Amino acid sequence: MENLNLPKVTIKNNGAVTNVFVDGKEIRGVRGIEFLHNREKDHLPVLRISLLADQITIDTPVLFDLPEVYWPHYVSADKLISAGVLTQDRLNELIEQGAL
């Protein structure tokens, strides 16, 4: 198998406390881990890590649906434009500037 330059993951368990390290750096806020390895489908194991976080920033040009729990915290640009709070030109400017 070609060199994929994948991270080295270490999981240390001491009773009720489990620490997860990626390339030697501890991942803080780990709520849970799930180790999957289905050799019939994938040659490599998969580790899913659930993290607790109070601030999440997603830097992507792709828009996607957020879980329903977040809906009260977001307003669509279309609603802001239709309410007169924002113009389409200003929205385009903000996108070009990388502010949105």
Side-chain angles (χ1 to χ4, degrees):
M1 183 170 288
E2 65 184 73
N3 182 4
L4 299 176
N5 197 23
L6 297 172
K8 179 184 176 190
V9 177
T10 303
I11 301 170
K12 294 184 179 180
N13 179 263
N14 184 10
V17 178
T18 299
N19 302 92
V20 179
F21 299 84
V22 177
D23 292 334
K25 296 181 183 176
E26 184 173 8
I27 305 297
R28 298 179 324 135
V30 174
R31 178 179 179 204
I33 57 174
E34 181 180 2
F35 181 78
L36 307 167
H37 196 183
N38 183 342
R39 291 177 190 237
E40 293 177 8
K41 291 184 179 182
D42 302 308
H43 296 287
L44 297 171
V46 174
L47 178 65
R48 291 185 184 159
I49 302 173
S50 298
L51 298 174
L52 296 172
D54 64 349
Q55 295 184 19
I56 299 173
T57 301
I58 302 172
D59 186 2
T60 178
V62 178
L63 295 177
F64 53 90
D65 274 342
L66 292 173
E68 187 176 346
V69 68
Y70 295 108
W71 291 358
H73 304 285
Y74 294 88
V75 176
S76 75
D78 290 339
K79 285 184 180 179
L80 293 175
I81 291 169
S82 66
V85 175
L86 184 66
T87 66
Q88 185 66 51
D89 289 339
R90 181 62 180 143
L91 175 63
N92 292 338
E93 289 173 12
L94 291 170
I95 292 170
E96 288 174 12
Q97 295 169 0
L100 296 178

